[in-house]
Amino acid sequence: MGEKLLGYLCEAIRNVPKHYYSLSNPQGYSKLERHPERLFTYELYHQLRIIIEKERQNSGFYDEFFVDAEIYKKLERTTYLQENVTEKKYKETKSELDKDKVFPDFVIHTNQKSRKIDDQFLILECKTQTENLTQDAFNNDFFKLNEYISLLNFQFSVYLIINKSENDIRNYLNTYKKSYWTSELGNVIFIVKESYEKELKIFDTMLNEINVDF
């Protein structure tokens, strides 16, 4: 079912109206335009629920899971960090990685108690404020997305990036793999949409393009 939900997610992204990609500021602000993350993700949640509810009318099968936004997840990180993080990089990012609480933007699962892979369908982190998506910010997000696979057993761990080019993200990923601190690379799915007018670009951790049926 995870693959079908990935298709629904891509369809929902394409259904988000242009208004939600950026927001004009009132006069007097230093920046004329902003890219608020919650503005986009709330509308994406709405579009995804429309698609899923339509499917639920046709099949009771879809009553078995929930789409939850910004829900609390606990990571048992100690052993994982010892096995996958070099000492130097761990010290550099220790304050961030010592946090065991995470709040992914979207989680599609059966419940909060189970860690079985059959109950964990899709988990998503979204970035729209691309001026804040530095290499370091990308590194931290990507590490978390790998943890969602290894520690939480999600079938699909998705990094959705809006308002930034596919080439930028591929460069970030290549830099991460060359110099960052994890020895483990899960099969994270990247979904990149440079602007409202651009088509989705979908690829995996190994930079292979992915075709998703909508």
Side-chain angles (χ1 to χ4, degrees), residues 56-128:
R56 276 188 168 137
Q57 293 175 10
N58 301 324
S59 172
F61 178 71
Y62 293 92
D63 290 331
E64 298 180 4
F65 67 83
F66 299 92
V67 182
D68 293 321
E70 296 187 343
I71 194 170
Y72 163 65
K73 287 288 186 181
K74 182 177 176 63
L75 296 172
E76 302 293 343
R77 281 178 149 167
T78 305
T79 302
Y80 183 81
L81 291 173
Q82 290 172 351
E83 293 176 351
N84 293 287
V85 180
T86 65
E87 182 179 358
K88 179 177 182 293
K89 283 297 183 181
Y90 177 65
K91 288 179 179 178
E92 290 176 2
T93 56
K94 188 175 186 300
S95 61
E96 180 67 29
L97 293 178
D98 277 352
K99 299 173 184 176
D100 62 358
K101 297 178 181 178
V102 291
F103 298 86
D105 291 303
F106 284 3
V107 175
I108 304 179
H109 59 170
T110 58
N111 60 71
Q112 273 285 73
K113 296 180 180 179
S114 175
R115 290 286 178 90
K116 295 178 181 178
I117 193 169
D118 290 342
D119 295 326
Q120 315 296 329
F121 301 114
L122 188 149
I123 192 164
L124 178 143
E125 294 285 355
C126 178
K127 284 291 181 290
T128 64

Side-chain angles (χ1 to χ4, degrees), residues 109-161:
H109 59 170
T110 58
N111 60 71
Q112 273 285 73
K113 296 180 180 179
S114 175
R115 290 286 178 90
K116 295 178 181 178
I117 193 169
D118 290 342
D119 295 326
Q120 315 296 329
F121 301 114
L122 188 149
I123 192 164
L124 178 143
E125 294 285 355
C126 178
K127 284 291 181 290
T128 64
Q129 298 187 62
T130 52
E131 62 273 19
N132 297 331
L133 187 56
T134 62
Q135 180 72 57
D136 285 342
F138 175 91
N139 293 346
N140 287 328
D141 280 345
F142 186 61
F143 189 83
K144 281 193 298 182
L145 287 155
N146 278 277
E147 288 182 303
Y148 297 160
I149 297 171
S150 299
L151 301 182
L152 301 181
N153 293 318
F154 273 88
Q155 297 173 28
F156 287 93
S157 185
V158 177
Y159 200 177
L160 171 61
I161 301 168

